[in-house]
Amino acid sequence: MPAEFSLRANVINLFANSIAPGTIHVREGKIHAVELTDSAPPDPTLPYALPGFVDAHVHVESSLLVPAEFARLAVTHGTVATVSDPHEIGNVLGVAGVEYMLESGRSVPFKFCFGAPSCVPATPFETAGATITASDIEQLFQNPAIGYLAEMMNWPGVLHRDAEVMEKIALAQRYGRPVDGHAPGLRDEDARRYAEAGISTDHECFTAEEALDKLAVGMKILIREGSAARNFDALIDLLPEHFENMMFCSDDKHPDTLVLGHINQLVQRAVARGQNVLKVLRVACLNPVLHYTLPVGLLREGDAADFIVVDNLTDFLVRQTYLNGVLVAENGETRIPSVPCPVLNNFHARPVQPQDFELQAPNAAPTVRVIECFDGQLITARHDLPATVANGLVVPNVDQDVLKLTVVNRYAPAAPAVAFIQGFGLKFGALASSVGHDSHNITAVGCDDASLARAVNLVIEAQGGLAAVGLDGEEILLPLPVAGLMSDQPGYRVADAYAAVDALAKRLGSPLGAPFMTLSFMALLVIPSLKLSDKGLFDGEAFQFVDAVV
């Protein structure tokens, strides 16, 4: 049973938009009383108490940590809850994967709200490890821990009122669950039709104009700032007028950046830009709790004692994080112990050879369709470039940053799909990862076929992981034995291991802020314009396969 205690602080009331010195009394895990000094200004000698931060959309799997370990790190930054889409493990293991996440989340004092994945597999143009049907979703909704229908990425299906898509949305409405959206670039009439179908949020806006279109039709907009996709600067100036309908999220957060900060960083940046602190805290703390009906306390009498204490309202340095009246983090140190986690997987790839990645030149002067990736974005561009040919084969051109990209089916033996990409900047070697949204086949990029084969085989031998291969036998592997997505090791140890493999990727020449995160999205077919699945090169605008070499 949590201890009974009282705490003196400047208390932030996000319902009254007030800050006043007072005493918070906690008893049996709840806020027993909040005694405020009426009409008194904040006391500069006191810290500030406020509701905890909530990440309104995150794939915990992308931290490479199981939920229990994610929680251990997140609470040090004042995060008390997440709205978590287990879509990644769902694509690998189906409903069993969702249940794994629920079980891990229950093992620690943290408030995970998991959703029922709506799009598994994400498209019929790739090989996934499982399928989650409408019947499965209804089964998941029997569990009160499943709080919403996770992001509806099949926006064409929504617009065309596809029967299966609409059945899933109708199930969410029948069970009183909100429906999350995912509709990059949708504007005007399309945005209206998407919202009218029952979609309540979107976290994919990369321009203010797009966000305004969606706000105008009643959608809530999430300002995303993760390890790969970063839209804070594009959207934050909408907050003063639209703060009641906005939230903060990370979407995908690698362990090295989670060690450094979480939603607290977005709050700090927003306030530093001159945003009203109470409006910012409503976005960070209050709106997700209300929208998703989370069982998270908001510093009211009778609420669960979920709150944080910060030094000031400038840098938001977190002194303490409380969940149900229990001190779970203090002064940057987690108080949640590590718990053992079981390992389950779905991995059946066979080793590859360098010649498996060869592409024959179809004529004397072929053209290659080249994916261009961008730092901090999930979208890609397409370029048609003259191919580099050697000994009758189309080969990378490292000087022009035209490298080979491959996706290898990890669920069954199959020939690799091969294409070309710009933006990774590698000068030698290769990177490979079993984290490949959304089906999580093995995705790799490299300067030569031998390096590609070695990096891919390191991942296959480990039954999942991140691998970097350099010169003279230099190679680093971070094993991910849980579904090929997550480590079974303590979070801080994983963060250090990730930092090492990330550093090697950058020594190989990559200028990207998060090379492995960017690599993981090169197979994400639902975001245009050109991506690669295990079945081939896919044009996300025409929604069809195209040849890599013409």
Side-chain angles (χ1 to χ4, degrees), residues 125-126 407 417 522-523 525 531-538 545:
F125 306 108
E126 56 197 310
V407 177
M522 292 305 100
L525 308 188
K531 297 290 175 68
L532 184 67
S533 89
D534 67 293
K535 297 182 178 181
L537 188 61
F538 190 78
F545 288 107

Side-chain angles (χ1 to χ4, degrees), residues 419-444:
F420 291 88
I421 190 165
Q422 282 186 319
F424 270 89
L426 301 181
K427 302 304 180 187
F428 40 85
L431 312 177
S433 172
S434 57
V435 179
H437 304 285
D438 279 314
S439 293
H440 300 293
N441 291 296
I442 303 166
T443 308

Side-chain angles (χ1 to χ4, degrees), residues 496-511:
D496 288 343
Y498 173 80
V501 72
D502 178 71
L504 178 52
K506 290 168 181 174
R507 290 199 303 274
L508 297 179
S510 181

